[in-house]
């Protein structure tokens, strides 16, 4: 099967590389002792201009189900009736099947599926490497030669369908890559289950490794492989492909001297501030005592893999970190010409890549409480668009259904107010008319309501847990479904009204038709630009 998959995959390899080059995600993973409430967490900002916008529930499949191994089965696909109806989208290839010997788990399917009804959650960050460097040229040749048939979309689907714990998922994903091989650029996948959080990196062919996040620590990655150490004597906290060292030596990727650094060997990109600046910002906000250089050239050797936060971390903490655009630093994108007179951080022309990104398809933050029954613990907060200007609404992987607006909307179709993504995209884009004021309006409409929602969601979880303990599991799931649907629909309606408010309030960059003052530096920049243009005429 691997040989056939290799031949078929070559037909799409250029398309796949082009599509993956647009992915630019930031992820976090939180240990249970680093959180405010003892939960473990993972997050994912799915940042791309091509990702599918919709979210579906994939139901349990019976034991003996032959599940398709499909390559590139995502953008433009329709999973609304899966597995009865299999629509994997244009450009997909079915390369074989995988048969389950037990019933599968139900899970939430997005561009990257992210949580199942056992409370296993994950995200991803696509990792690039410099293909023009000496090491990059070697890697390109090696990866082309050993290319398999499993991409990141499918790997996460399989793990969520099959596994219940993070450790089980790491071992299963490793077995899948050992058998079928990796297809695509390297990936960093964050995984959690309420007890443990893990980082799994897939490099190429059958090469992969994973490390457990310490319970008191937080991990962040921004489109860069980050596992910089393996303790080969610690099988509890490190799991890896058996040939991870031998393969590197045999293929001239490592000379066997000094410490073996997986990320540096298999996905080197240490000088890419596009990635490292986001990691620097997040780590130093979590621990301001860290003395990290934002211009660091050797982060694999000089930066810690994990950071112990000075204060415990909550869902709100991760949301705020994901909303960051370097405020208060020399890299603040609101203080640039590209930001305009009103400090817009969402201009696609910004030279600096920030964590908060205009092209974010969605953000999800899973927060898993292992003390709760499985059908109650499987909670994630979800929102479409740039984190700074979107809301988060609670969803459980055990739900009977999702709100209708979760499964509506495509980028290439006209604006649709029935689509969750399109409505949040309109608010986000309208905010750019006068961001410095509009974002305050958005936060006033959102922040207190979200704070109240965090409290209410905890109460709903406890009520549902008591139902499960009393043998009323179906009623518990009904409660979670009803609450989640009500919250999501309320946010959707609120955001539709908010877009109208923003348009009328900030039309032409004004505020209620009064022209705001522009900063002196902006007036000077405009004058200098006008003078430069006149000089060329």
């Amino acid at each position: 099967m691997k040989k056939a998959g290799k031949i078929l995959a070559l037909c799409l390899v250029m398309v796949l590389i082009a599509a993956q080059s647009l992915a630019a995600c930031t992820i976090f993973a939180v240990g249970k002792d680093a959180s405010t409430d003892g939960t473990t967490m993972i997050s994912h900002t799915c940042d791309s201009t091509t990702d599918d916008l919709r979210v579906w529930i994939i139901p349990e499949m019976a034991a003996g189900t032959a599940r398709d191994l499909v390559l590139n089965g995502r953008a433009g696909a329709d999973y609304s009736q899966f597995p009865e109806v299999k629509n994997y989208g244009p450009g997909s290839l079915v390369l074989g099947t995988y048969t389950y010997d037990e019933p599968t788990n139900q899970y939430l399917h997005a561009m990257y599926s992210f949580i199942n009804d056992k409370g296993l959650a994950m995200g991803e960050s696509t990792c690039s490497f410099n293909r023009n460097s000496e090491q990059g040229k070697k890697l390109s040749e090696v990866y082309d030669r050993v290319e398999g048939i499993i991409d990141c979309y499918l790997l996460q689907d399989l793990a969520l369908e099959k596994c219940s714990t993070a450790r089980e998922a790491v071992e299963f994903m490793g077995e899948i890559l050992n058998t079928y091989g990796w297809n695509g650029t390297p990936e960093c996948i964050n995984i959690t289950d309420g007890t443990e959080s893990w980082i799994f990196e897939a490099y190429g062919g059958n090469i992969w490794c994973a490390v457990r996040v310490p319970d008191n620590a937080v991990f962040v990655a921004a489109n860069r492989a980050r596992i910089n150490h393996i303790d080969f004597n610690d099988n509890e906290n490190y799991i890896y492909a058996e040939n991870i060292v031998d393969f590197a030596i045999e293929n001239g990727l490592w000379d066997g001297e000094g410490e073996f650094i997986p990320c540096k060997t298999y996905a080197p990109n240490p000088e890419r501030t596009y990635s490292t600046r986001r990691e620097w910002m997040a780590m130093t906000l979590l621990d301001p005592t860290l003395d990290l250089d934002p211009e660091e050239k050797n982060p694999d050797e000089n930066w810690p893999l994990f950071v112990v936060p000075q204060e415990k971390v909550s869902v709100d903490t991760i949301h705020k970190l994901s909303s960051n655009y370097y405020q208060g630093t020399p890299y603040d994108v609101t203080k640039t010409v590209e930001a305009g007179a009103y400090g817009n951080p969402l201009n696609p022309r910004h030279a600096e890549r920030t964590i908060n990104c205009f092209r974010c398809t969605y953000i999800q933050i899973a927060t898993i409480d292992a003390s709760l029954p499985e059908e109650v613990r499987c909670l994630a907060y979800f929102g479409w668009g740039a984190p700074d200007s979107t809301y988060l609404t609670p969803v459980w992987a055990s739900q009977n259904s999702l709100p209708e607006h979760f499964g509506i909307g495509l980028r290439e179709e006209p604006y649709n107010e029935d689509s969750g993504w399109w409505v949040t995209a309109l608010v986000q884009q309208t905010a750019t008319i006068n961001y410095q004021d509009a974002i305050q309006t958005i936060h006033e409409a959102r922040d207190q309501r979200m704070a109240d929602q965090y409290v209410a969601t905890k109460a709903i979880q406890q009520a549902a847990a008591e139902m499960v303990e009393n043998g009323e599991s179906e009623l518990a799931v009904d409660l979670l479904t009803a609450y989640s649907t009500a919250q999501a629909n309320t946010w959707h309606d609120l955001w539709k009204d908010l877009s109208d408010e923003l348009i009328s309030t900030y039309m032409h960059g004004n505020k209620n038709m009064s022209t705001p003052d522009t900063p002196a530096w902006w007036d000077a920049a405009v004058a200098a630009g006008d003078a430069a243009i006149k000089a060329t005429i």
Side-chain angles (χ1 to χ4, degrees):
M1 187 191 323
K2 289 177 68 177
K3 183 176 180 181
K6 170 70 174 178
I7 295 171
L8 289 171
L10 286 174
C11 299
L12 281 183
V13 66
M14 294 309 296
V15 175
L16 289 173
I17 291 173
Q20 289 179 356
S21 68
L22 296 173
C25 311
T26 308
I27 60 173
F28 292 89
V30 180
K32 60 184 179 181
D33 294 338
S35 70
T36 56
D37 56 3
T39 65
T40 63
M41 289 182 275
I42 61 92
S43 74
H44 176 205
T45 58
C46 187
D47 303 336
S48 170
T49 56
T50 60
D51 285 347
D52 202 292
L53 313 172
R54 298 161 295 172
V55 184
W56 293 287
I57 291 175
I58 303 299
E60 174 185 307
M61 292 178 277
T65 297
R67 194 246 198 268
D68 289 338
L69 297 179
V70 57
L71 181 66
N72 201 35
R74 261 338 188 248
D78 187 345
Y79 283 81
S80 60
Q81 300 179 65
F82 185 85
E84 286 77 14
V85 177
K86 299 176 181 178
N87 176 354
Y88 300 127
S92 61
L93 287 175
V94 176
L95 303 177
T97 58
Y98 183 92
T99 301
Y100 292 109
D101 54 4
E102 296 178 350
T104 65
N105 304 314
Q106 177 172 296
Y107 62 102
L108 297 183
H109 178 292
M111 190 67 186
Y112 294 89
S113 299
F114 57 94
I115 189 170
N116 70 19
D117 60 358
K118 298 297 188 292
L120 174 67
M122 59 185 65
E124 63 74 43
S125 187
T126 304
C127 306
S128 65
F129 60 89
N130 185 354
R131 295 177 181 271
N132 294 320
S133 67
E134 181 180 351
Q135 184 77 351
K137 291 176 182 178
K138 292 180 183 177
L139 284 167
S140 295
E141 186 278 325
V142 170
Y143 289 161
D144 287 346
R145 175 165 47 83
V146 300
E147 186 180 53
I149 67 170
I150 302 295
D151 61 20
C152 192
Y153 310 125
L154 179 60
L155 187 63
Q156 293 191 193
D157 286 352
L158 293 172
L160 291 169
E161 289 168 1
K162 174 74 172 177
C163 304
S164 300
T165 71
R167 186 179 294 268
E168 180 187 5
V170 166
E171 294 173 346
F172 173 76
M173 292 160 72
E175 291 173 3
I176 289 293
L177 295 191
N178 291 342
T179 303
Y180 300 104
W182 179 253
N183 185 289
T185 57
E187 287 274 359
C188 180
I189 301 173
N190 53 344
I191 312 169
T192 200
D193 62 12
T195 300
E196 296 183 341
S197 293
W198 282 79
I199 306 304
F200 182 101
E201 290 186 348
Y203 300 118
N206 310 112
I207 306 302
W208 56 274
C209 70
V211 59
R212 182 185 175 191
V213 179
D215 289 341
N216 66 340
V218 178
F219 170 86
V220 57
N223 301 114
R224 192 173 69 88
R226 291 210 59 220
I227 298 181
N228 58 5
H229 174 73
I230 295 179
D231 184 342
F232 293 99
N233 297 313
D234 183 356
N235 295 327
E236 283 298 307
N237 297 300
Y238 297 87
I239 306 175
Y240 44 87
E242 289 186 0
N243 64 333
I244 190 169
V245 173
D246 292 343
F247 186 87
I249 294 174
E250 291 167 2
N251 287 277
L253 302 174
W254 184 52
D255 60 9
E257 300 294 327
E259 181 182 6
F260 173 71
I261 301 177
C263 63
K264 185 177 180 179
T265 302
Y266 287 110
N269 210 352
E271 297 184 23
R272 192 187 191 210
T273 56
Y274 176 91
S275 297
T276 57
R277 196 98 78 213
R278 283 178 276 161
E279 296 164 359
W280 162 79
M281 185 77 264
M283 288 193 288
T284 54
L285 284 173
L286 288 165
D287 182 4
T289 68
L290 285 176
D291 184 18
L292 303 182
D293 181 0
E295 306 289 339
E296 178 63 61
K297 302 300 183 183
N298 296 296
D300 298 334
E301 291 90 346
N302 297 329
W303 282 5
L305 181 56
F306 308 109
V307 56
V308 178
Q310 291 292 297
E311 297 181 1
K312 300 284 188 178
V313 173
S314 65
V315 170
D316 188 59
T317 306
I318 300 301
H319 185 215
K320 284 184 169 61
L321 289 172
S322 300
S323 303
N324 184 273
Y325 40 84
Y326 304 140
Q327 302 96 308
T329 78
Y331 310 104
D332 186 342
V333 295
T334 67
K335 310 299 183 184
T336 63
V337 173
E338 291 82 5
Y342 306 122
N344 173 27
L346 298 175
N347 187 342
R349 301 292 295 177
H350 279 302
E352 193 79 50
R353 166 62 206 271
T354 66
I355 303 176
N356 187 66
C357 184
F358 76 93
R359 63 174 179 264
C360 183
T361 303
Y362 62 81
I363 174 175
Q364 59 91 357
I365 305 173
T367 173
I368 314 300
D369 185 344
S371 71
L372 299 174
E374 288 177 345
E375 54 266 67
V376 180
R377 74 177 64 161
C378 51
L379 169 65
Y381 285 91
F382 184 89
W384 285 278
D388 191 39
S389 55
T390 195
Y391 56 81
L392 296 178
T393 194
V395 290
W396 282 267
S398 59
Q399 287 182 207
N400 298 319
S401 62
L402 292 174
E404 186 176 357
H405 65 266
F406 273 61
I408 295 176
L410 293 172
R411 294 175 191 269
E412 60 269 23
E413 294 179 349
Y415 172 78
N416 185 345
E417 70 170 10
D418 295 327
S419 163
W421 183 85
W422 269 114
V423 168
T424 54
L426 179 58
V427 167
Q428 175 183 314
Q429 187 62 28
T430 306
T432 64
I433 299 173
N434 182 340
Y435 197 87
Q436 66 182 13
D437 290 327
I439 195 61
Q440 295 181 43
T441 301
I442 292 172
H443 288 177
E444 287 169 2
R446 180 194 74 184
D447 290 357
Q448 185 58 54
R449 192 177 189 284
M450 271 180 39
D452 295 340
Q453 181 183 252
Y454 292 139
V455 175
T457 300
K458 286 285 188 182
I460 289 292
Q461 278 191 297
Q462 289 301 321
E466 291 177 9
M467 290 180 178
V468 174
E469 292 167 2
N470 292 329
E472 300 175 318
S473 294
E474 291 186 5
L475 283 177
V477 172
D478 288 344
L479 173 63
L480 298 177
T481 302
Y483 173 76
S484 173
T485 300
Q487 291 297 308
N489 286 337
T490 299
W491 281 116
H492 185 62
D493 291 340
L494 178 62
W495 245 236
K496 283 193 286 188
D497 293 340
L498 186 58
S499 65
D500 292 340
E501 179 183 350
L502 293 176
I503 290 172
S504 60
T505 303
Y506 300 108
M507 181 59 67
H508 305 316
N510 297 332
K511 186 172 183 179
N512 295 322
M513 288 304 170
S514 296
T515 304
D517 293 333
T518 55
W521 70 264
W522 170 257
D523 294 336
V526 170
D530 288 346
I533 292 172
K534 290 177 181 178
T536 65
I537 297 175

